[in-house]
């Protein structure tokens, strides 16, 4: 009844339809994934930090890029450091030959710094990236260091001092992602390199607003999701060709009813669909975009065939995008392919074991 009340916006406003019965059944299947995924979520010995992530057993080099420290004089510039961290992770997530741990599993160290070797052990990775950023007037200064988790030796370091433009930010992110991949022994395909090197917008205002929107979206409260919607809409006003801004807008509308029981899904559906399909029109080769379309197609349109087409494409284009794998797990569960769903859910949680959203999708009880 709670699920159907969420679906209608207020309990009993409409009769239960066949589609709603299917939705309820799918959600029960998704919750059932937890049977095989429940795990001990205690902190590692001697620490209060995150648990070591599950080893996917595929032999890829594993890296954790820690949150970017904000060295700017203006504390409000922290959004830039946080946004750049998200974007570097997304760049690395496009590389199929490496394993990049998700943001939630790394954030703890921003307030609790530790030596690279200790962090590597606690997070179950072989390499650790540390960096800082300083915005000064119309320039950005950024330092990145890559460490070997076993020896704590520095493998690579770079200082960037560039004019603050959207293009310079994309170039810095691309350069870091490519050099990190090289430094840890990953091999990029030509398509992966092309996706990493492609700038999404030349408009700095649009990019700033997009970063602000993504940070709000990740906190998943009704207030911050609405703030995210506002930021993404303003980003689109600044650059109407910015596909990722449409993708962020679609994601925000799509998850709002899950976090705000006063929002009727029917009230946001057209806006969510419109934004997602516009993003796909603008950039059909971006994993996040396909994830947005796939999630909306699954959760609202209940077109499981089309949803699988887009979600499978999402995890192929962005093999390290944890949200994409989580939504793909939900799709597989809805189709009754539980063994595949469990595998996809395990993969999503391994990528970011302290993401409450992914843990919820997987049916894992966070303690």
């Amino acid at each position: 009844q709670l699920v159907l009340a969420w679906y209608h916006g207020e309990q009993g406003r409409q009769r239960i339809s066949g589609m709603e019965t299917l939705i309820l059944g799918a959600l029960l299947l998704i919750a059932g994934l937890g049977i095989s995924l429940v795990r001990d979520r205690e902190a590692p010995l001697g620490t209060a930090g995150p648990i070591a992530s599950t080893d996917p057993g595929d032999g890829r080099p594993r890296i954790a890029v820690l949150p970017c420290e904000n060295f700017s004089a203006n504390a409000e510039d922290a959004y830039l450091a946080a946004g750049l961290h998200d974007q570097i992770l997304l760049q690395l997530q496009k590389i199929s030959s490496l394993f990049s741990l998700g943001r939630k599993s790394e954030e703890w160290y921003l307030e609790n710094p530790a030596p690279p070797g200790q962090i590597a052990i606690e997070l179950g990775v072989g390499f650790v990236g540390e960096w800082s950023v300083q915005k000064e007037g119309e320039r950005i200064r950024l330092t990145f260091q890559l460490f070997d988790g076993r020896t704590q030796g520095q493998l690579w370091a770079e200082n960037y001092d560039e004019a603050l433009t959207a293009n310079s930010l994309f170039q810095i992110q691309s350069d870091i992602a490519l050099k990190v991949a090289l430094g840890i022994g990953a091999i990029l395909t030509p398509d992966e390199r092309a996706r990493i090197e492609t700038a999404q917008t030349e408009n700095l205002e649009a990019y700033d607003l997009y970063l602000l929107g993504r940070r709000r979206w990740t906190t998943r409260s009704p207030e911050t999701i609405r703030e995210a919607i506002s930021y993404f809409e303003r980003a689109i006003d600044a650059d109407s060709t910015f596909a990722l801004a449409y993708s962020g807008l679609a994601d925000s509308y799509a998850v709002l009813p899950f976090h705000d029981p006063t929002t009727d899904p029917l009230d946001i559906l057209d806006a969510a669909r419109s934004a997602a399909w516009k993003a796909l029109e603008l950039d059909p080769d971006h994993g996040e975009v396909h994830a947005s379309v796939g999630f909306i197609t699954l959760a609202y349109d209940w077109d499981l065939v089309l949803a699988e087409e887009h979600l499978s494409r999402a995890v192929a284009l962005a093999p390290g995008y944890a949200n994409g794998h989580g939504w793909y797990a939900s799709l597989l569960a809805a189709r009754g392919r539980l063994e595949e769903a469990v595998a996809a859910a395990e993969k999503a949680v391994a990528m970011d074991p302290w993401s409450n959203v992914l843990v919820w999708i997987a049916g894992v009880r966070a303690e």
Side-chain angles (χ1 to χ4, degrees):
Q1 288 179 336
L2 288 175
V3 174
L4 298 178
W6 160 80
Y7 183 79
H8 286 307
E10 57 184 81
Q11 191 170 358
R13 197 175 74 184
Q14 300 176 18
R15 296 181 62 185
I16 298 173
S17 69
M19 178 176 289
E20 293 163 9
T21 304
L22 289 174
I23 291 172
L24 180 57
L27 290 174
L28 292 172
L29 284 171
I30 294 166
L33 292 173
I35 294 173
S36 63
L37 289 172
V38 173
R39 65 186 66 194
D40 179 4
R41 298 182 62 78
E42 293 179 356
L45 293 175
T47 78
I51 62 169
S53 59
T54 303
D55 187 345
D58 56 16
R60 293 179 295 171
R62 297 165 59 84
I63 183 171
V65 177
L66 301 182
C68 186
E69 293 187 81
N70 176 39
F71 285 172
S72 300
N74 188 349
E76 293 182 0
D77 290 337
Y79 82 91
L80 180 61
L84 288 174
H85 179 236
D86 287 345
Q87 295 309 300
I88 285 293
L89 294 181
L90 289 172
Q91 293 285 53
L92 293 174
Q93 288 162 5
K94 298 172 184 176
I95 304 173
S96 58
S97 60
L98 62 79
F99 183 99
S100 175
L101 205 60
R103 175 180 58 83
K104 281 290 185 182
S105 299
E106 300 157 341
E107 284 185 334
W108 188 82
Y109 293 99
L110 189 59
E111 301 296 332
N112 303 274
Q118 178 181 328
I119 294 173
I121 292 172
E122 292 175 358
L123 294 181
V125 299
F127 303 92
V128 176
E130 294 184 350
W131 55 326
S132 62
V133 65
Q134 179 180 11
K135 179 181 176 184
E136 190 172 298
E138 300 301 316
R139 299 196 69 80
I140 184 170
R141 296 183 173 88
L142 190 148
T143 299
F144 191 97
Q145 301 178 83
L146 177 65
F147 292 93
D148 186 317
R150 293 159 295 182
T151 67
Q152 301 197 59
Q154 185 187 83
L155 297 176
W156 168 71
E158 187 74 61
N159 293 315
Y160 300 88
D161 187 344
E162 304 285 345
L164 183 55
T165 66
N167 279 334
S168 68
L169 291 177
F170 279 115
Q171 287 171 5
I172 290 171
Q173 294 166 26
S174 298
D175 191 64
I176 290 174
L178 294 173
K179 288 181 177 177
V180 164
L182 179 64
I184 67 177
I187 299 174
L188 281 78
T189 68
D191 285 345
E192 289 171 345
R193 178 181 287 272
R195 286 196 289 271
I196 288 172
E197 292 178 338
T198 300
Q200 298 297 319
T201 180
E202 296 182 356
N203 187 303
L204 182 60
E205 179 187 4
Y207 190 57
D208 268 350
L209 291 165
Y210 170 76
L211 294 180
L212 287 164
R214 272 300 177 194
R215 292 306 295 178
R216 297 297 190 275
W217 181 78
T218 58
T219 60
R220 297 293 212 285
S221 74
E223 295 76 21
T224 56
I225 293 173
R226 288 193 177 89
E227 289 176 3
I229 289 171
S230 176
Y231 282 124
F232 290 132
E233 288 176 337
R234 290 165 59 191
I236 291 168
D237 287 341
D239 181 359
S240 61
T241 66
F242 190 8
L244 289 183
Y246 287 98
S247 177
L249 182 61
D251 290 346
S252 299
Y253 276 124
V255 302
L256 183 58
F258 288 87
H259 300 275
D260 180 9
T262 68
T263 298
D264 189 326
L266 297 178
D267 290 340
I268 56 85
L269 182 53
D270 286 345
R273 281 184 185 142
S274 176
W277 287 99
K278 182 63 175 180
L280 187 66
E281 174 189 328
L282 291 169
D283 191 350
D285 295 320
H286 203 291
E288 286 178 76
V289 170
H290 282 278
S292 300
V293 175
F295 177 68
I296 291 169
T297 306
L298 167 65
Y300 292 92
D301 296 329
W302 202 243
D303 186 337
L304 301 187
V305 173
L306 187 59
E308 181 165 4
E309 176 184 326
H310 287 288
L311 289 170
S312 61
R313 182 67 173 153
V315 298
L317 290 171
Y321 184 39
N323 274 329
H325 285 279
W327 291 339
Y328 188 46
S330 300
L331 175 281
L332 293 170
R335 302 206 74 176
R337 290 151 56 183
L338 295 186
E339 289 187 8
E340 294 176 74
V342 167
E346 285 179 334
K347 184 175 291 187
V349 174
M351 291 172 181
D352 204 353
W354 281 81
S355 166
N356 290 334
V357 172
L358 294 176
V359 165
W360 179 82
I361 287 175
V364 181
R365 181 171 59 88
E367 302 194 359

